[in-house]
Amino acid sequence: MITRKKQRTANIAFFSVIHEVYFEQFEGLEKSLNGYHSDTVKLVESNDVKVFDYGIVGSNSKAFEVAERINGDRIDLIVCNMITYATSSVFAPIVQNTNAPIILTALQPLMNMDYSKACTFMQLENDNICSVPEFTGVAIRLGKPVKDVIIGCLYNDKAAENEISEWCEIAKVLHDLKGARLGLMGHVLEAMYDMHADPTAVSSAFGVHIPLIEIDDVVGEYEKVTDEEIEAKKALILQEFDTPTPVSDPVTMKLTDSDLEKAAKGAAALDRLIETFRLDGLAYYYEGRENTLQREVATSFIVGNSILNAQGTPMCGEFDIKTLIAMLIMDRLNIGGSFAEFHPFDFNEDFILVGHDGPHHIAVAEGKPILRSLTKFHGKPGSGASVEFKLKEGPITMLGITQTHDGRFKFVIGEGYSKKGPIPPTGNTNTRGFFEPTTKEFIKRWVMEGPTHHYALGIGHRADTIKKIADVLGIESVIVK
């Protein structure tokens, strides 16, 4: 199976806060709280992230020191662990002097105290919630509110563990958005006003860089592809895809040897392009004149795109940089991120087909994806191998990134279900999408939010997580219901 090339990770800053006077007053409390601190660090580390442990902060001067260290460690998320009561003077310098999002964890060791044996020492060990309102209130007064508070127990609390895991997943998205190189090649498909986006505005909102790639850049790589590279790609493609005979669409044919060769060469050229320009993703559209090498190359990418998507490098057609970012966000949440749009309704069974004729994330396909040769790419120049599959059955999430009248970005988020059933055998991806309260009502509410006609499509119900990402980025968002 195709596996991810770039592993998901994040840099998490972690520190606990205390009121230092307690250590002088209660012998053994420092040792006890240090143990709880270490156990919480391990809980965060279990989510495959790198934790920068700054220890226990009990003074204002130590807080300033920790803030300086955070700023030097390329931190994606700050976790302030409310290990017992602490004054906000040990927290405010970190809020004021760092820029990463901050969450609080208030995880007391005991589900409840044994009141027959309760004492001040035991209360201080479990006083995690006491100063939370002081900290959240001070953060708001400083103009930098905390993003979340995780309340629960340190041990055997699945809900709290899931909340920590969610924020580690968010941190992985932020880690890879920061400085990502998302290439743009070609131009917008003529007349698609919703696709246009200012690269500088994109860089400002998401912290990415957008190299502008020439078609001749990839043509140059295409010309360098070796026979060995083509044969290796052909073997991978035949291993990962089925190639059935056509069914009902006269545009489709069984995959031809020439289309397989072209797809393999295009995929190898894309690998070279990604490496040469150190790209983390690419959005493109190019037509070129008939019978030119530029058109041959630009129309050969669909299979290679889908392989790269599964390896963690999102590839997006129709020059759609906004949906490319949505695909990157979904990929780093490990839920897929296929390039998608709406296809015809089925009003009898109350679903709508969702998919596209371009790149997809084959890691979230239901069963083995299919390759068909198409005699024409409808609405676009060219012909050749095209990918067809259904998304895994079960919950699905959609993320569309659009812009408002003032140019600001907006997340349009929705959840539904992918269910079993036949799809059109057209060489394009299609999934049966069911939405509540009815599919027609949901789609009407979706389109009234002013989305683009593309969105990223992933598995699971992750709307709340994606909304938190929007909040961290300072971007307007709506969950369509």
Side-chain angles (χ1 to χ4, degrees):
M1 294 296 294
I2 297 170
T3 57
R4 178 182 294 279
K5 284 189 173 181
K6 184 175 182 180
Q7 297 306 308
R8 300 182 312 126
T9 190
N11 296 333
I12 310 292
F14 187 94
F15 62 94
S16 296
V17 290
I18 59 136
H19 188 38
E20 273 188 326
V21 174
Y22 295 154
F23 287 172
E24 301 170 7
Q25 293 179 326
F26 296 92
E27 185 179 352
L29 184 63
E30 182 173 4
K31 180 180 179 182
S32 175
L33 294 186
N34 268 302
Y36 297 143
H37 171 91
S38 297
D39 287 347
T40 314
V41 168
K42 292 174 185 175
L43 185 60
V44 178
E45 286 177 331
S46 68
N47 292 282
D48 295 323
V49 294
K50 183 177 180 181
V51 175
F52 290 74
D53 181 2
Y54 302 115
I56 292 180
V57 179
S59 69
N60 182 259
S61 58
K62 177 70 178 293
F64 275 104
E65 176 189 321
V66 167
E68 288 185 15
R69 292 173 63 189
I70 287 173
N71 287 331
D73 287 334
R74 197 179 184 269
I75 294 301
D76 305 301
L77 177 71
I78 300 170
V79 180
C80 173
N81 186 37
M82 314 297 293
I83 204 166
T84 188
Y85 175 77
T87 67
S88 51
S89 65
V90 303
F91 174 65
I94 296 172
V95 176
Q96 287 177 304
N97 294 289
T98 61
N99 292 314
I102 300 176
I103 65 168
L104 308 182
T105 52
L107 305 177
Q108 65 185 53
L110 299 177
M111 287 288 289
N112 61 280
M113 293 190 293
D114 181 349
Y115 303 112
S116 66
K117 300 177 181 178
C119 59
T120 303
F121 187 102
M122 184 186 296
Q123 179 169 321
L124 293 179
E125 284 187 306
N126 292 275
D127 226 358
N128 310 76
I129 197 65
C130 185
S131 57
V132 167
E134 178 177 342
F135 278 43
T136 57
V138 165
I140 289 172
R141 289 188 66 185
L142 294 174
K144 299 174 76 173
V146 301
K147 299 302 180 183
D148 202 0
V149 180
I150 299 173
I151 299 171
C153 289
L154 178 55
Y155 306 108
N156 303 314
D157 186 338
K158 195 64 179 177
E161 290 173 12
N162 287 342
E163 288 184 71
I164 290 173
S165 177
E166 179 186 40
W167 275 102
C168 288
E169 294 292 292
I170 291 170
K172 291 172 186 177
V173 173
L174 301 175
H175 183 84
D176 278 4
L177 275 177
K178 196 180 299 176
R181 291 173 56 84
L182 303 179
L184 269 179
M185 182 177 71
H187 57 85
V188 172
L189 184 63
E190 199 274 329
M192 282 187 179
Y193 281 24
D194 61 333
M195 292 298 97
H196 290 281
D198 172 10
T200 301
V202 174
S203 295
S204 174
F206 298 100
V208 303
H209 174 62
I210 303 178
L212 300 179
I213 310 297
E214 299 283 352
I215 186 65
D216 284 342
D217 291 325
V218 71
V219 167
E221 301 298 341
Y222 191 79
E223 292 176 323
K224 295 175 188 174
V225 171
T226 65
D227 291 341
E228 291 76 17
E229 288 174 286
I230 294 172
E231 290 305 314
K233 282 294 182 185
K234 285 166 68 174
L236 176 65
I237 290 168
L238 292 175
Q239 172 187 312
E240 297 296 332
F241 294 85
D242 278 335
T243 58
T245 55
V247 185
S248 58
D249 189 346
V251 170
T252 66
M253 299 186 298
K254 184 175 175 62
L255 182 68
T256 65
D257 290 342
S258 61
D259 284 346
L260 174 60
E261 178 92 5
K262 178 182 171 184
K265 189 171 183 179
L270 282 176
D271 285 352
R272 285 173 165 269
L273 184 75
I274 296 300
E275 183 175 354
T276 298
F277 287 87
R278 307 187 315 281
L279 298 179
D280 298 297
L282 176 72
Y284 73 96
Y285 181 78
Y286 192 85
E287 294 192 357
R289 291 182 295 110
E290 193 172 357
N291 298 319
T292 61
L293 183 57
Q294 284 80 3
R295 176 174 289 191
E296 176 185 321
V297 174
T299 58
S300 70
F301 294 153
I302 292 175
V303 180
N305 287 341
S306 294
I307 293 171
L308 282 165
N309 283 344
Q311 292 174 333
T313 301
M315 306 291 286
C316 185
E318 299 183 11
F319 205 72
D320 190 351
I321 187 69
K322 298 190 292 295
T323 299
L324 179 67
I325 291 170
M327 292 166 68
L328 177 66
I329 289 170
M330 282 199 168
D331 179 81
R332 296 312 190 260
L333 288 175
N334 208 30
I335 61 173
S338 279
F339 187 47
E341 64 187 4
F342 295 123
H343 289 168
F345 276 101
D346 186 314
F347 291 112
N348 288 330
E349 295 189 48
D350 189 35
F351 69 83
I352 191 168
L353 293 168
V354 291
H356 206 278
D357 63 352
H360 300 284
H361 201 306
I362 60 177
V364 294
E366 179 69 31
K368 204 169 185 179
I370 287 171
L371 279 189
R372 302 187 192 276
S373 282
L374 302 186
T375 60
K376 63 185 74 176
F377 293 149
H378 68 273
K380 302 169 187 172
S383 61
S386 189
V387 177
E388 173 184 308
F389 75 79
K390 293 181 287 187
L391 214 63
K392 289 182 185 295
E393 294 172 24
I396 58 174
T397 297
M398 305 186 304
L399 168 59
I401 301 181
T402 187
Q403 288 180 274
T404 59
H405 74 282
D406 58 0
R408 295 180 181 275
F409 293 96
K410 175 181 175 180
F411 283 15
V412 182
I413 311 164
E415 294 177 338
Y417 293 89
S418 169
K419 296 186 181 180
K420 184 179 293 187
I423 62 171
T426 58
N428 298 166
T429 287
N430 271 300
T431 286
R432 289 175 162 227
F434 292 76
F435 300 92
E436 297 175 347
T438 69
T439 297
K440 183 173 76 171
E441 289 175 274
F442 173 87
I443 298 301
K444 181 173 181 177
R445 292 172 185 173
W446 176 276
V447 301
M448 292 305 292
E449 291 294 338
T452 70
H453 70 286
H454 296 149
Y455 47 86
L457 180 64
I459 58 174
H461 278 169
R462 301 302 296 273
D464 289 340
T465 301
I466 293 171
K467 190 175 193 311
K468 288 175 183 174
I469 293 170
D471 292 343
V472 168
L473 295 172
I475 292 173
E476 179 185 353
S477 64
V478 61
I479 298 177
V480 177
K481 296 182 179 179

